[in-house]
Amino acid sequence: MAKNCLKGILLFCLTILVFCEDPYEANPFYVDPTTVKKENAKWTMKLKNHHDVSQNKANPEILSAAVTFECLDERVMRFKMIDATTDRWEVKLANPNPGKGYIPAPIAEMGLKYSDDPFGFEIIDPTSQELVVSTLKPTNSSLKFYDKYLEFGEWFSSQKMYGLGERVTKEFQLCAGRDWCVYTTFNKDEVSPVDDGSPPGGKQDYGHQPFYMIQLQSKKFIGVLFLNSNDQDTVLVKNAITKGLNVYHKPIGGIFDVYYFYPGTAEVVMQKYHSLIGRPYVAPFWSLGFHQCRYGWENLKVVQNVVANFEQADIPLEVVWADIDYMKEYADFTIDPIRYGGLGDFVKELHKKTMRWVPIIDAGLKYDKDDPYYQKGEKNGAFIKSAWTRQTLIGKVWPGLAVFPDWMTPYATTLWQEGLDDLHTQAEFDGIWIDMNEVSNFCDGECRNITRFDEDHHLRKSSTRMLEVGEFGSDPHDPHEFDNLPYYPGGKDPSHKTLSMTGYHRATNDYEDKFYKEYNLHSIWPLEEAKATHNYFVEKVKERPFLLTRASFPGSGLYTSKWLGDNFATWEFLRYSIVGLYSFQMYGIPLVGADICGFIFDTTEELCARWMQVGSFYPFSRNHNDIHSKPQEPYIWEKVATASRNAIRQKYSILRYYYTKLFEVSLYGGSLVRPMFFEFPKDEKVYEKTEFTFMIGPALLVAPVLHQGLLYAYPYCPNENWYDAYSGAILYEYDPEAREGRQLTLSAGFDYVNVLLRGGNIIPFQDALGAKVRRTELLKFIPMEIIVALDHNGNAKGSLIVDEGDSVDPIGKKEYRHITLAYTGASKLLNVELLNDYPKTYNFEKFTKLSFWGADGLAAVSKACLLYTSPSPRDATLSRMPSSA
């Protein structure tokens, strides 16, 4: 009774508040009809605000806004809303050719309609009549525009949402099992908190990826990019009645800039998105091999022993990595002469064995009067500045006090590349690992009460007094500007564990000399660092770049690959890693992986063995752990060694397929790794435990063991032919009477990973297990088989891309060979089409076997040469009865 009375009082009070509140609180904007202009692919208009005067001086409301709707492509609509009177920070896409391949369409035919008062809009796909998005729903009419707080409400017809990174999640679907969730997006050095969406948020980690996809009732997907680099929350609220989803974006700066990608398959939506932000760079072929690292290799002798132990244990090893141990006092671009003396010669020995070496470089340069990079950078204004002192902002990372490049000034890139050049002269690295680049800072904001150096590098004490408001006079860099924000995403100060939001950058180039605030640029820092580092390889070393980053932003995939950051040696984090793979395919960074066996805590033999089996099939496969944990190189335990040597070679056997699909993502966009429901969206069974298996392209299903103590894998196979990818044995045969597929029970020891080949696909195969391949370079010299795995209609298709593997810009220079293959059961013809030719690939391989699977048993054609030595390219048609020997 008491509870019911209390509920009644609360409802009464809420009712009074609703009637008494500002009727324009949720959305005060309306269209000025005299400003509406409708062109073919673009509509523009001005919005007025029912609040004639801003009542908040500390956080003034925007009273006049300009809106643009632009149809960039027949499947892409852009909504942009800016302050009509004052310039504000807005993100520029990193892609030099955004939307390459887009075909603009008349906006009047694209299902857009808007309301005048309050302003809102909705988009309906004219092809399928499906709702893309609505801001017109009364429960979601939210549009607020203040200087330091923006809010934008959307309504979608489905609650299945994916993406919005970066974060560690148990399930791929966001807000699964909850009625409402809060997700914070902002680059932060957080050690992989598991984000279940519980309020107040704040459990994001390294990257800022404001892209997401929603699966509609039709099983098609739509995509949304909320392009804003400021700290922000996204609130998801499920509507139990409509079964829809309200999404509220709440950034604390910038503008509204939203891209909507119309319904299509997951792959098509991702391809459209990647065309906008920039398709991924082509990574070197060797980067798909196996990598080993450890923070805690205290000297070069330890590293030499690691390499020798790999060789003795017959475990393939492609790349040796160096964490910060190799540096002198943890300073960038240095090598410790005592502990790592002779490193350059060691790297040369690795190269003789066709192995590679990749060192780490951190974001912060050592603050030291004797450090040459600090000296040159300080002299040329290359570092981010402090609003408190109007001098270089000083933080703290591994070398102690540190300063941070200001990528807005060109000399920062010059300084960075000079440092890389100096390091390369000492030891010829093959790639660079850029870490701590959120930017991470061991002081919140900046370090104060420290010893500084004056212009003559004499020591002096910094003033302990903080400058007061007004002391800068007309200087725009007020150190108190963000002291009391109206809203704190995630309930945290944005400067927590990173640089001060009042720090400032200065753009000095041919077209501007302007200051920019860290408040706006923070999440873009790793993108600019990756660009400067990538270009060093292209312009200075003249080699194909290989980069690995921790932090990211839309467009980072143009320049770098990605690992999922510091994780834990637990079975849970083994499983979480697969969600991370899925997410970064969406964000346009396909070469991704987690620290195999876990970075933090001591792993176990069983966990490490299973993780090596899973991780060997990551696109980026690296074992890496922390100095405070026990060593976990795979040769330490026999069970792990067995699992490793076999799993790595299983991957190497299909590495041509991996590389082909990775290359095609660079050509067209899309994903290398994907959940099964991306391929089989209408099979309801594939949505169950979708994180327990993963597909490589459309053809291969990896079915690992992800739980302690299990000796079987239980993959679900949709109703199609499925083969063991290595033996050709048919594991599931299409059943014309079945309405769904079947879950299999497969033996899963430590010497073999179950990988299934889906009928209807053609893949290249090299027997790296039988040849005991240790380096990817050797794949150039062993036979290649083309496997034609027939579907239930007797058809199959596939492709193959072969190039030099390490040439610079193979796509731009068209230095690759690309063929497609299609077999039709009705005609008994295998058609081979040459899409692009490059003569230098001719010496690499010839097909020695053409195998058909699923046609009354296994049949093969020996010495069928489909890669021609003739310099004159031509198509080939190969006729073969699949049932004959």
Side-chain angles (χ1 to χ4, degrees), residues 571 574-579 581-582 606-618 643 647 650 658 673-674 676 689-696 700-716 743-750 752-756:
W571 290 92
L574 167 59
R575 294 189 287 273
Y576 300 158
S577 69
I578 295 176
V579 179
L581 302 184
Y582 293 161
E606 183 186 1
L607 173 60
C608 196
R610 291 306 191 188
W611 209 325
M612 282 297 302
Q613 290 185 310
V614 178
S616 293
F617 288 88
Y618 293 160
Q650 279 188 260
Y658 265 83
V673 179
R674 59 192 70 162
M676 287 192 76
K689 300 179 180 178
T690 188
E691 301 82 10
F692 291 176
T693 59
F694 55 95
M695 295 194 72
I696 305 298
L700 296 174
L701 175 65
V702 182
V705 171
L706 300 175
H707 292 80
Q708 185 175 8
L710 292 185
L711 294 175
Y712 293 88
Y714 303 96
Y716 172 77
Q743 186 176 48
L744 306 182
T745 299
L746 303 177
S747 178
F750 291 93
Y752 188 76
V753 181
N754 287 290
V755 181
L756 286 68

Side-chain angles (χ1 to χ4, degrees), residues 79-99:
F79 163 70
K80 183 178 179 181
M81 179 173 168
I82 64 174
D83 186 333
T85 60
T86 305
D87 288 341
R88 293 176 60 84
W89 165 252
E90 58 181 271
V91 176
K92 305 296 184 185
L93 290 166
N95 187 5
N97 298 299

Side-chain angles (χ1 to χ4, degrees), residues 339-393:
R339 294 181 300 105
Y340 274 81
L343 179 59
D345 290 336
F346 169 70
V347 172
K348 289 178 182 177
E349 289 301 313
L350 290 179
H351 289 163
K352 289 178 182 178
K353 298 176 181 178
T354 66
M355 299 170 71
R356 315 284 174 159
W357 182 70
V358 176
I360 193 171
I361 297 291
D362 281 337
L365 302 184
K366 188 173 184 178
Y367 176 66
D368 186 323
K369 66 183 179 64
D370 296 322
D371 186 281
Y373 309 107
Y374 167 71
Q375 290 177 355
K376 289 187 285 187
E378 185 70 15
K379 180 180 179 180
N380 291 278
F383 303 127
I384 298 170
K385 299 295 189 294
S386 165
W388 290 100
T389 65
R390 284 182 288 179
Q391 300 177 54
T392 295
L393 187 153

Side-chain angles (χ1 to χ4, degrees), residues 23-40:
Y24 303 117
E25 173 64 24
N27 182 357
F29 289 99
Y30 63 97
V31 176
D32 178 352
T34 65
T35 64
V36 176
K37 295 181 180 179
K38 295 185 177 182
E39 301 174 4
N40 182 50

